[in-house]
């Protein structure tokens, strides 16, 4: 089966970490947390197949990124565009540019400490 996108190992690379912009327990709950992350990918940066145990919304601040859910064609997002990915959806995303950085926001509401990504094994 052909896979759209760059041929890469199943290792995250070119992802520049940032501290969360917001991470707090929602008022009136004991264990429900809202988090907002700013994420930056260097040219060619990729986060290979993974999932989030909670739904996540991506919003592109600058650059162009490609998101691909397993079994679906890739979606290209530009600055000002967003994408909702349901909880448990295996997907990957990358920066197709060879010159420009990709910056996007991630909005997650999940049980405390359970919103970040979980790597998935390589497809056979």
């Amino acid at each position: 089966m052909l896979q759209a996108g760059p041929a890469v190992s199943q290792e995250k690379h070119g992802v520049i970490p940032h501290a969360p912009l917001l991470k707090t327990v929602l008022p009136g709950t004991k264990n429900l947390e809202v988090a907002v992350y700013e994420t930056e990918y260097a040219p060619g940066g990729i986060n290979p197949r993974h999932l989030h145990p909670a739904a996540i919304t991506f919003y592109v601040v600058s650059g162009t990124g490609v998101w691909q859910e397993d079994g679906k064609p890739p979606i290209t997002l530009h600055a000002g565009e967003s994408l909702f990915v349901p909880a448990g959806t295996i997907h990957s995303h990358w920066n197709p540019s060879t010159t420009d950085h990709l910056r996007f926001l991630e909005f997650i509401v999940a049980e405390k400490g359970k919103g970040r990504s979980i790597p998935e094994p390589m497809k056979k």
Side-chain angles (χ1 to χ4, degrees):
M1 177 175 185
L2 293 176
Q3 178 181 349
V8 297
S9 70
Q10 286 298 105
E11 184 177 313
K12 185 188 297 191
H13 67 81
V15 178
I16 302 165
H18 293 277
L21 298 173
L22 173 71
K23 192 170 189 180
T24 187
V25 173
L26 289 173
T29 72
K30 292 182 181 182
N31 200 33
L32 200 55
E33 181 176 68
V34 62
V36 178
Y37 294 91
E38 178 182 14
T39 304
E40 181 178 359
Y41 287 11
I46 184 168
N47 191 350
R49 295 178 78 239
H50 65 282
L51 62 86
H52 301 267
I56 184 167
T57 300
F58 297 99
Y59 175 82
V60 177
V61 176
S62 64
T64 298
V66 179
W67 276 256
Q68 185 171 22
E69 294 180 18
D70 271 8
K72 294 185 179 179
I75 296 172
T76 301
L77 298 178
H78 305 279
E81 297 179 326
S82 60
L83 175 70
F84 175 80
V85 177
T89 302
I90 298 172
H91 64 285
S92 59
H93 35 91
W94 62 90
N95 179 357
S97 177
T98 58
T99 57
D100 298 325
H101 281 236
L102 165 64
R103 294 177 79 90
F104 58 93
L105 300 177
E106 301 174 56
F107 300 89
I108 306 169
V109 177
E111 287 182 48
K112 191 172 182 182
K114 294 187 178 180
R116 294 305 281 179
S117 65
I118 300 169
E120 279 295 306
M122 194 171 203
K123 279 186 174 180
K124 294 182 184 196

